[in-house]
């Protein structure tokens, strides 16, 4: 009995140590995941765009990606004249393909955006699907791209599109993710609110052009990342010099330190980034701006939640 009495505590300790080690291993594993950003060549043939997207999602999954991001307007050319022609309801043809691709490849899929028709209105809408193929959210572009740079570019999304009116976040086993579309990235308040609500990764399917792209694309991403100590990922269509709207390309992932982790060129490709949430936590501890905000002097808050 004496021997048994002595051995049992050691076995219990051994089991406890194993359990602690096992859980620590799970926690460590869950603190990292691979993100894939698909820079897709978009043509005027919707079926080709969908087929190409599906193939590249599969390719990304094969490289260990647990989350895949597609570009803005991935199923159609980008332009006010194209939005009514290519618009679909959700669910519809394009989102059905996305749902199936997410389920087949067991990934979280941020489905870029498509022109969405709903009750006579058109929206620029991003649908997000879970690894089971279920729709987690749809984000309608909040800030419409209405700009006029004399001698360079004029574009007015509001000529055909209506703005969305809600914030969009989804949870994963890794972290909470905030979603914006292209021009939404210019509005720092949106990113601040997402970070305040616990997002550690912000994703922006986008299509900056040859004027705003070289000037602001990377700058804005690094700004949103550093200001909020979050990862920021952007997915652009590949550049097509023959298109009526030429996208800048250069899909990018930026770290909470403001470093560019990965960046595509101008052509179609998939780029990868290993998101390290422990690294994010370390940065927030080293430079604790969240704890140092002077909420007695200023605050950024939502008027309504979505």
């Amino acid at each position: 009995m004496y021997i048994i009495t002595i051995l049992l505590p050691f076995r219990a300790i051994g089991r406890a140590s194993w359990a602690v080690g096992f859980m620590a291993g799970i926690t460590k594993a869950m603190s990292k995941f691979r993100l894939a950003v698909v820079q897709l060549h978009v043509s005027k043939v919707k079926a080709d765009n969908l087929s190409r997207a599906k193939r590249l999602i599969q390719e990304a999954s094969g490289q260990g990606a647990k989350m895949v991001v597609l570009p803005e307007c991935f199923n159609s050319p980008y332009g006010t004249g194209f939005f009514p022609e290519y618009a679909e309801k959700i669910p519809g043809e394009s989102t059905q393909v996305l749902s199936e691709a997410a389920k087949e490849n067991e990934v979280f899929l941020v489905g870029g955006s498509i022109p969405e028709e709903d009750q006579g209105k058109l929206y620029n809408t991003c649908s997000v699907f879970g690894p089971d193929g279920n729709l987690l959210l749809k984000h309608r572009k909040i800030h419409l791209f209405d700009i006029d740079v004399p001698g360079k570019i004029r574009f007015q999304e509001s000529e055909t599109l209506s703005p969305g009116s809600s914030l969009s976040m989804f949870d994963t086993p890794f972290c909470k993710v905030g979603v914006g579309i292209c021009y939404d990235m210019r509005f720092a308040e949106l990113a601040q609110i997402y970070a305040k609500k616990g997002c550690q990764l912000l994703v922006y399917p986008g299509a900056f052009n040859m004027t705003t792209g070289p000037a602001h694309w990377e700058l804005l991403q690094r700004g949103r990342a550093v200001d909020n100590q979050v990862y920021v990922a952007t997915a652009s269509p590949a550049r097509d010099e023959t298109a009526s709207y030429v996208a800048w390309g250069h899909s990018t992932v930026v770290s909470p330190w403001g470093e560019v982790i990965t960046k595509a060129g101008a052509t179609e490709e998939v780029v990868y980034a290993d998101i390290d949430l422990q690294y994010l936590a370390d940065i927030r501890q080293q430079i604790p701006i969240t704890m140092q905000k002077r909420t007695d002097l200023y605050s950024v808050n939502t008027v309504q939640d979505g």
Side-chain angles (χ1 to χ4, degrees), residues 219-242:
L219 176 66
L220 286 166
Q221 295 171 65
R222 297 181 71 184
R224 299 295 85 85
V226 170
D227 285 350
N228 301 288
Q229 297 177 320
V230 295
Y231 284 93
V232 173
T234 57
S236 169
R239 191 179 305 171
D240 180 357
E241 299 285 359
T242 67

Side-chain angles (χ1 to χ4, degrees), residues 10-90:
F10 277 98
R11 288 174 180 166
I13 291 171
R15 286 195 296 271
S17 298
W18 176 86
V20 170
F22 178 72
M23 292 307 296
I26 290 177
T27 301
K28 185 175 181 181
M30 297 294 275
S31 72
K32 290 185 178 182
F33 69 97
R34 174 159 284 194
L35 172 71
V37 179
V38 176
Q39 184 161 286
L40 185 74
H41 171 72
V42 178
S43 73
K44 291 183 178 180
V45 182
K46 183 185 289 188
D48 289 350
N49 297 331
L50 296 177
S51 176
R52 191 178 295 111
K54 192 171 183 179
R55 175 178 57 80
L56 293 175
I57 293 165
Q58 184 178 28
E59 177 184 314
S61 174
Q63 294 297 316
K66 300 300 180 185
M67 186 181 301
V68 182
V69 186
L70 297 178
E72 181 180 25
C73 237
F74 85 93
N75 71 340
S76 74
Y78 181 79
T80 54
F82 295 109
F83 297 147
E85 178 184 353
Y86 285 79
E88 303 177 15
K89 293 188 178 298
I90 297 177

